[in-house]
Amino acid sequence: MSGMVEDVNDDNYEGFTEASAAVVAYGIATCEPCKAYDPVLADIAQQYSNVRFGKAKMHVPGRCRAIKKRHQFETYPTTHFFSNGTLVLTKEGKLEPAELADLIRQSFSIKT
């Protein structure tokens, strides 16, 4: 896997979430916590190259329509943790780096 945050949208969502370990952050452009979360995702993605990281830009018309129908979002950012296509954990709000790293290790049984 790449160690970077990938763009996630309706076209690649299924394939992306079918990875053995995938983290998707859903956000909108006008959300200050979403903007503050971007560098956290980028830093953690560098530390866990065996985990796929993606960001779904929910505000862009037509890009995430099917994703919105599939999931209910009350808070942005929201982070989903997937393993082989199964949603294993949902966390709402901006996560701090240590918390995100802990959740990744727990969700995907990664040893430090």
Side-chain angles (χ1 to χ4, degrees):
M1 301 193 202
S2 67
M4 60 183 269
V5 180
E6 302 173 53
D7 180 49
V8 175
N9 57 58
D10 287 342
D11 294 336
N12 66 359
Y13 187 73
E14 289 298 322
F16 189 91
T17 60
E18 289 174 359
S20 59
V23 175
V24 180
Y26 308 89
I28 54 176
T30 58
C31 167
E32 289 302 321
C34 297
K35 293 176 194 175
Y37 195 29
D38 288 347
V40 172
L41 286 171
D43 288 346
I44 296 296
Q46 292 294 315
Q47 297 174 37
Y48 293 93
S49 60
N50 56 335
V51 177
R52 257 182 118 170
F53 288 85
K55 181 168 182 184
K57 300 171 185 170
M58 304 304 283
H59 61 281
V60 180
R63 290 179 41 90
C64 297
R65 232 178 243 145
I67 296 171
K68 285 181 187 178
K69 287 180 182 178
R70 185 174 184 172
H71 303 288
Q72 298 295 324
F73 299 100
E74 294 185 22
T75 302
Y76 289 110
T78 292
T79 306
H80 282 169
F81 298 76
F82 291 93
S83 180
N84 300 308
T86 300
L87 178 61
V88 295
L89 180 67
T90 299
K91 290 298 281 186
E92 293 182 338
K94 177 185 172 277
L95 302 173
E96 295 301 323
E99 181 183 12
L100 179 56
D102 284 343
L103 292 170
I104 288 167
R105 288 191 295 272
Q106 293 169 17
S107 297
F108 306 125
S109 300
I110 297 173
K111 306 238 186 268
T112 54

